[in-house]
Amino acid sequence: MSTWHAISPSWQVPLPTPAVVGEERLQDFRDALYFPIREFLGGGNPYDPAVMVGRWPVRQDFNLYQPYHLLLHAPFALPGYRVGAVAFTLFSLLLLVALAALAAHAVRRYVPVPFSVTTVVVAALLVTSQVGKAQLYVGQINPLVALGAAGALLARRDRPGWAAAALALAWLKPQYGFPLAVLLFARGSRRVALLGTAIAAAASLPVVVLLVVRGGGIGPFLDVVVANLTHARGTDYGAVDSVTAQRIDVAAVLFRVTGWVPSGVELVVLAAVLVTSALLVRTAKAPIADLLTLLAVVVCVVHQPGDVLITVPAMAVVAALWWRHRGEPGWGAAGLAVLALAVPFAHLYTVDTLVGSVLGSRVAVTVDGVAVVVAWGLAVAAARRVRPA
């Protein structure tokens, strides 16, 4: 029932026109996949905000996703919009099931639970949760990124080659790939961090070269990149000082809670979170270190509630181990971290509407962010005390 409810928008959404540009169903599929790829295949540069907004029925510009995204997801932009939307939604559903299977595999490393049952339970919870439904409702590419991020952590020791390929998928969005590569490097998986980054760069290079040639050289191409970043910082959904943005990173939460944000705070937060987390993940017990790693990725730089999808396997492992170790030092904080992290998953649309109508939109959009930042702080506390035997 949850699956049917989650995938039905893909064939119910109206076809994109300027009249329905505010439509939220399949919005990310439309704005970050279908029309950017159409622009690229048509000979243009989709990273240029003026081109995308002026030529296509989109609400948002195309952010700086890795250029290989334009080739990787091209099959979903080749057919008509309706066929592409349905195919992409079903593909994303399969990726969520694969993420649930990865979580089941991770849990089985520590607890003898049935793989198939755990997969079904986690998958059902995912497509019922707000975070899981949002991936399919909005048409996000996060399921693939989450599979890459979680896979890189789980395979980094036994299968470093596969882990590097998984990290390359996480690099699809640089705000995932960069901090994850840094933390993997800090945890001793230097080959995985460097090779995964190199794979992502090599996959993107042909597209970059083509865009540079089309645009008339490096200079004009860099001008487009600067224009893209400038446009993103000025939007009501991306700016750090926006009360309506769905950002859950430390810098944005600081502003929404206090109404104050000092100049350069985003770079300070990025450095502080990565340094703090890097020092702790090197010595913490593996499940706690994995949870802290993925939470650090989410809170150090621009992220939204749906981005906590990457933490699902680590959450499942820590939750499974908490009962066994609940009386030991540090595990109380670990259990509370999972509980706080569950807030975005349980933050259903009806709850959001109720909170917003009673307390105002500023509170409604802040709840998830505060919960995730608190979860990171609790994971830090747990990592300080839970060490390998």
Side-chain angles (χ1 to χ4, degrees):
M1 291 176 62
S2 294
T3 298
W4 183 262
H5 178 68
I7 65 175
S8 58
S10 64
W11 59 77
Q12 294 173 348
V13 62
L15 295 177
T17 66
V20 294
V21 73
E23 175 63 58
E24 292 184 350
R25 288 174 292 182
L26 277 297
Q27 173 182 290
D28 280 17
F29 172 76
R30 178 193 67 197
D31 295 357
L33 193 153
Y34 191 81
F35 287 118
I37 294 176
R38 284 283 177 128
E39 174 67 21
F40 173 71
L41 295 178
N45 186 345
Y47 293 104
D48 190 335
V51 169
M52 289 306 301
V53 175
R55 187 173 298 171
W56 301 99
V58 297
R59 179 183 174 218
Q60 302 174 8
D61 69 316
F62 178 55
N63 293 326
L64 294 178
Y65 291 15
Q66 281 284 345
Y68 74 76
H69 160 67
L70 298 170
L71 298 178
L72 182 67
H73 288 111
F76 300 108
L78 294 176
Y81 184 82
R82 182 82 64 198
V83 174
V86 172
F88 180 74
T89 302
L90 293 176
F91 175 68
S92 298
L93 174 64
L94 292 177
L95 291 176
L96 289 179
V97 175
L99 184 66
L102 199 62
H105 173 69
V107 171
R108 275 180 60 87
R109 286 183 170 185
Y110 301 94
V111 182
V113 295
F115 175 80
S116 58
V117 173
T118 307
T119 299
V120 170
V121 169
V122 175
L125 289 173
L126 267 180
V127 295
T128 304
S129 73
Q130 179 73 359
V131 168
K133 286 191 301 182
Q135 313 305 314
L136 308 181
Y137 184 87
V138 184
Q140 296 181 339
I141 64 171
N142 284 340
L144 182 60
V145 177
L147 203 60
L153 281 177
L154 291 175
R156 67 188 184 90
R157 288 179 176 171
D158 300 332
R159 294 180 173 85
W162 283 107
L167 176 61
L169 288 178
W171 263 107
L172 187 56
K173 287 185 176 181
Q175 70 264 38
Y176 286 96
F178 171 71
L180 182 57
V182 169
L183 292 172
L184 283 170
F185 192 91
R187 293 181 67 174
S189 298
R190 298 180 179 181
R191 177 187 171 191
V192 172
L194 296 176
L195 182 58
T197 301
I199 291 172
S204 293
L205 184 60
V207 179
V208 172
V209 170
L210 183 58
L211 292 175
V212 168
V213 172
R214 285 179 179 177
I218 293 290
F221 175 75
L222 293 179
D223 290 340
V224 168
V225 172
V226 171
N228 190 291
L229 291 171
T230 303
H231 180 85
R233 284 195 295 266
T235 61
D236 59 355
Y237 57 85
V240 68
D241 57 352
S242 170
V243 297
T244 58
Q246 295 291 325
R247 287 177 55 170
I248 59 171
D249 51 282
V250 171
V253 171
L254 173 66
F255 169 75
R256 289 210 303 272
V257 170
T258 66
W260 170 77
V261 56
S263 176
V265 66
E266 290 178 283
L267 288 177
V268 172
V269 165
L270 175 65
V273 170
L274 287 184
V275 170
T276 300
S277 302
L279 291 174
L280 292 171
V281 295
R282 299 174 65 180
T283 56
K285 192 175 179 66
I288 304 296
D290 288 349
L291 183 63
L292 177 57
T293 296
L294 296 171
L295 276 170
V297 169
V298 173
V299 302
C300 73
V301 70
V302 182
H303 278 287
Q304 297 182 341
D307 297 348
V308 298
L309 187 68
I310 66 172
T311 64
V312 167
M315 282 180 69
V317 173
V318 173
L321 289 176
W322 171 81
W323 181 258
R324 179 186 298 175
H325 301 283
R326 64 190 183 279
E328 300 175 14
W331 280 98
L336 289 174
V338 172
L339 191 62
L341 192 51
V343 170
F345 290 89
H347 196 185
L348 302 178
Y349 178 76
T350 52
V351 176
D352 185 61
T353 302
L354 178 62
V355 172
S357 62
V358 175
L359 300 177
S361 60
R362 180 169 179 170
V363 172
V365 300
T366 303
V367 170
D368 288 343
V370 170
V372 175
V373 172
V374 167
W376 174 75
L378 289 166
V380 166
R384 292 182 62 189
R385 304 194 68 185
V386 182
R387 302 297 175 88

